[in-house]
Amino acid sequence: MSDLFNPTEEHKVLREMVRSFAEREVAPQAEHHDREERFNIELFKKLGELGLLGVTAPEQFGGSGMDATAAAIVHEELAAADPGFCLAYLAHSMLFVNNLAVNGNDDQRSRYLPGACSGELIGGMCMSEPNAGTDVLGMGSVARRDGDDYILNGQKMWITNGAVSEGELGDVFLVYAREEGGDRAVSLFLVEKGMEGFSLGQKITGKLGMRASTTAELVFEDVRVPAANLVGKPGSAVRSMMRNLAIERVTLAAMSVGIARRSVEIMNRYGAEREAFGEPINRFGQIQRHIAESYAEYMAGRSYLYKVAGDLSLDAFGSRADSDGVKLYCSTMGKNVADRAIQVLGGYGYVAEYDVERLWRDAKLLEIGGGTNEAHQKNITRDLSKVERLL
């Protein structure tokens, strides 16, 4: 019988490598960078040395040329150690690198992907705005053609890797904007740090969780973007947006699975070691329920995740019902499992020493970012309305 979670030897070796790195180098720094609300750039660049920053990008452009299952493995393992750090990785490797690898032309790939895969460049993607989140087609950012350039105006909000430090922009972004006069037609542009009019509005602090990844508002004021930086055809970016949302949601689900696994491990170990009334607390039914239900839900989510990832082709749309469905299920599952871990640990679960309070805080974002749970419910119901029988 094949291993659903490691379908090939290459996947198994990848998991072993990433888990070893995560336990050795990512986990020890997690609490400090969460407390400081600081992105660990030095550690991030080590992911480039391991070939992880371009895990799904073609080898000819500096990537590792692997599949959606590999991406899920990396995100599960990194998130089990530090979800905040993993979120910065996701924004770079999936929302920028994979997006450009699938939707860009060879000139664009040659210009940006080698640096992004090595860690020389830190990238991100700009979709959400102060007044446009789930309704992405209601965005107000506008691009106007001006000779051989486009003039870009607007604001983007909640951008992961938008700032890599207190006052420094990330290096390069894929930015969605409406074509002026094109109604709801959306185009996609490569915008670099240093382009006149492109600036950091604010680095957002005081977040509930995911504090080790930086979140920012970005401002575009008459930014002159060369037409060569248009990704795909004018007004055609909705298709590339939807295609990349599939792998984004799968990898966000993988993060939830990583959070759940770490939470189960912590409560399982604590339940065996902690004694009350003369015996380990895992002998008591209340604690057994928390541990057993958490394990069962984690395994259900993990199985769903790797089934969806295994079926997903990175250059196709896949099943929206399942890319939405796996994130819908796993995001709430991960949060609930982390919550139970806090309950099992009691007062110790409420402080940073045992990690589960941070995992719980980080888990909440996954019900919001990359599509809210309510948006997934809408999408799934809409897609299922066209189906009479499930296979």
Side-chain angles (χ1 to χ4, degrees):
M1 183 176 180
S2 63
D3 182 351
L4 176 64
F5 310 126
N6 305 287
T8 69
E9 184 64 24
E10 187 178 23
H11 289 117
K12 182 179 179 181
V13 170
L14 174 69
R15 185 182 297 280
E16 291 170 351
M17 183 265 288
V18 180
R19 183 173 294 194
S20 175
F21 176 79
E23 292 176 348
R24 185 179 66 253
E25 299 201 39
V26 180
Q29 57 82 61
E31 194 274 329
H32 172 74
H33 284 82
D34 174 81
R35 186 175 63 251
E36 297 293 320
E37 299 191 41
R38 188 162 65 85
F39 174 40
N40 192 336
I41 299 176
E42 296 77 16
L43 184 62
F44 183 83
K45 291 186 176 182
K46 288 186 179 182
L47 298 177
E49 298 171 10
L50 295 174
L52 300 178
L53 293 180
V55 64
T56 61
E59 293 181 39
Q60 70 187 95
F61 299 112
S64 296
M66 298 187 75
D67 59 7
T69 297
I73 288 170
V74 178
H75 285 83
E76 179 193 340
E77 296 300 332
L78 290 179
D82 185 352
F85 179 75
C86 185
L87 186 67
Y89 168 76
L90 185 151
H92 177 91
S93 65
M94 296 294 107
L95 304 190
F96 180 79
V97 173
N98 183 76
N99 199 343
L100 184 60
V102 172
N103 298 302
N105 59 41
D106 281 351
D107 175 66
Q108 293 164 344
R109 296 185 188 106
S110 297
R111 278 193 287 150
Y112 295 104
L113 288 185
C117 291
S118 71
E120 178 186 351
L121 299 175
I122 296 176
M125 183 271 288
C126 301
M127 183 186 296
S128 296
E129 298 185 356
N131 296 308
T134 301
D135 180 17
V136 294
L137 296 182
M139 67 179 65
S141 297
V142 174
R144 171 176 57 85
R145 186 68 187 249
D146 183 36
D148 292 331
D149 301 322
Y150 283 87
I151 307 299
L152 178 60
N153 282 282
Q155 292 172 275
K156 295 295 181 178
M157 193 68 168
W158 315 115
I159 307 306
T160 304
N161 297 345
V164 295
S165 62
E166 193 62 37
E168 184 182 359
L169 282 164
D171 295 302
V172 59
F173 299 88
L174 285 164
V175 181
Y176 291 94
R178 290 189 300 107
E179 290 269 346
E180 186 176 69
D183 192 25
R184 291 164 73 88
V186 176
S187 294
L188 181 60
F189 301 92
L190 283 154
V191 180
E192 301 176 53
K193 178 172 66 178
M195 287 183 171
E196 187 175 353
F198 177 36
S199 64
L200 174 62
Q202 60 174 316
K203 178 177 178 286
I204 298 166
T205 59
K207 296 183 295 182
L208 171 69
M210 299 293 186
R211 295 174 181 171
S213 70
T214 54
T215 307
E217 174 195 29
L218 303 183
V219 179
F220 306 85
E221 297 178 304
D222 292 329
V223 181
R224 186 169 289 274
V225 181
N229 282 26
L230 172 70
V231 178
K233 297 179 180 179
S236 67
V238 170
R239 288 182 62 82
S240 62
M241 179 192 299
M242 296 306 171
R243 187 161 45 223
N244 208 64
L245 280 172
I247 186 61
E248 177 186 6
R249 288 167 179 171
V250 166
T251 48
L252 287 167
M255 288 184 61
S256 295
V257 167
I259 289 171
R261 192 191 81 217
R262 180 81 179 281
S263 298
V264 170
E265 290 171 346
I266 292 170
M267 74 171 105
N268 183 51
R269 183 169 56 248
Y270 186 86
E273 295 172 351
R274 174 74 168 179
E275 292 191 357
F277 307 103
E279 56 184 330
I281 63 171
N282 66 3
R283 302 283 178 86
F284 298 99
Q286 302 97 321
I287 301 302
Q288 292 170 351
R289 179 178 178 180
H290 288 314
I291 295 173
E293 289 188 353
S294 295
Y295 173 74
E297 290 173 14
Y298 152 68
M299 284 299 293
R302 196 180 194 217
S303 300
Y304 191 11
L305 166 67
Y306 284 97
K307 173 62 169 69
V308 175
D311 290 342
L312 180 63
S313 175
L314 294 170
D315 59 358
F317 290 94
S319 167
R320 185 175 70 167
D322 282 320
S323 59
D324 277 62
V326 72
K327 181 177 173 292
L328 174 65
Y329 177 79
C330 288
S331 60
T332 297
M333 179 275 294
K335 184 194 70 176
N336 289 345
V337 171
D339 188 83
R340 292 194 197 109
I342 293 175
Q343 196 69 23
V344 168
L345 271 64
Y348 290 108
Y350 202 67
V351 296
E353 180 181 357
Y354 284 81
D355 295 330
V356 287
E357 65 85 27
R358 173 171 51 82
L359 296 174
W360 179 76
R361 289 188 288 106
D362 288 349
K364 179 58 190 176
L365 178 70
L366 301 172
E367 293 186 315
I368 301 170
T372 63
N373 280 8
E374 293 77 12
H376 300 323
Q377 291 159 359
K378 178 197 70 174
N379 291 342
I380 294 167
T381 303
R382 181 180 294 170
D383 288 354
L384 290 181
S385 70
K386 304 170 187 175
V387 178
E388 290 187 6
R389 300 178 66 185
L390 299 177
L391 298 178

